[in-house]
Amino acid sequence: MTTLDILQFPDPRLRTKAAEVTVFDDGLRQLVEDMYETMYAANGVGLAATQVNVHKQVLVADMSEERDQRMALVNPRIVARQGEQVYQEGCLSFPGIYADVTRALAVVVEAQDVDGQPVRLELEGPLAVCIQHEMDHLAGKVFVDHLSGLKRSILLKRLEKQRKAATA
Ligand code: NI
């Protein structure tokens, strides 16, 4: 397994729209294993292939305390959404930055597993947030896109300051 480099905002490659996966082979399985490794090493709860500069519709997530509830989705689609929730989100492409984002409370997701088998999931609460956040990445979006201009500019200034401090 390999730990992959995570693209950092504002890297323009984070704006790439991921392509549908049509081949379910060892390369895909390896990508998913490497994405888990990368996510766990970074203490993240979710990771989209976009963030490791692979522009395919693949995401992994694990929101469990024990870090033992892996979920890998290929070609995910939200087919139903309900309600609203506000949740404080972070992102491995924005280290140290957190913001409240409003998203659907519950979603029904249709996707495929790494073998190409169809899966249908009914998710709510934090896991629904996580999957919506990762699916945004696959569409070239990031969580701060959901914020007002003012909130976003405050956060991005903070991100810049932290980066300067880290490299000083
Ligand atoms: Ni993210």
Side-chain angles (χ1 to χ4, degrees):
M1 281 190 290
T2 315
T3 304
L4 306 167
D5 288 335
I6 299 173
L7 299 180
Q8 297 299 306
F9 184 85
D11 193 309
R13 292 172 291 183
L14 287 170
R15 296 303 185 179
T16 311
K17 284 193 175 70
E20 193 176 339
V21 173
T22 52
V23 180
F24 295 81
D25 59 2
D26 285 345
L28 179 65
R29 277 181 278 275
Q30 188 62 52
L31 170 66
V32 166
E33 285 307 311
D34 291 345
M35 285 172 64
Y36 278 126
E37 181 85 353
T38 305
M39 176 183 76
Y40 288 128
N43 288 316
V45 295
L47 185 70
T50 309
Q51 293 176 278
V52 292
N53 200 29
V54 176
H55 301 289
K56 293 178 184 174
Q57 293 176 16
V58 179
L59 65 85
V60 298
D62 184 348
M63 292 207 74
S64 67
E65 291 280 332
E66 298 76 19
R67 317 295 278 150
D68 61 357
Q69 286 175 38
R70 294 175 164 216
M71 178 183 285
L73 299 179
V74 179
N75 301 326
R77 299 275 180 276
I78 292 176
V79 296
R81 58 181 82 225
Q82 196 179 24
E84 206 175 88
Q85 63 181 321
V86 178
Y87 192 86
Q88 192 184 60
E89 299 184 21
C91 179
L92 294 176
S93 296
F94 295 72
I97 295 293
Y98 301 90
D100 285 343
V101 178
T102 305
R103 297 191 189 266
L105 174 64
V107 291
V108 179
V109 177
E110 288 181 357
Q112 285 163 284
D113 66 15
V114 286
D115 299 314
Q117 295 305 306
V119 290
R120 182 184 166 91
L121 300 165
E122 293 180 19
L123 306 171
E124 68 172 87
L127 191 54
V129 168
C130 178
I131 297 304
Q132 290 175 82
H133 175 121
E134 301 314 330
M135 285 183 66
D136 270 2
H137 280 301
L138 300 179
K141 287 193 222 163
V142 292
F143 77 127
V144 298
D145 296 348
H146 291 272
L147 307 176
S148 72
L150 180 63
K151 271 191 191 161
R152 186 167 56 234
S153 62
I154 291 169
L155 276 179
L156 296 182
K157 268 185 199 140
R158 193 179 302 159
L159 183 66
E160 208 173 306
K161 252 189 207 166
Q162 286 178 0
R163 276 208 188 121
K164 276 189 189 143
T167 55

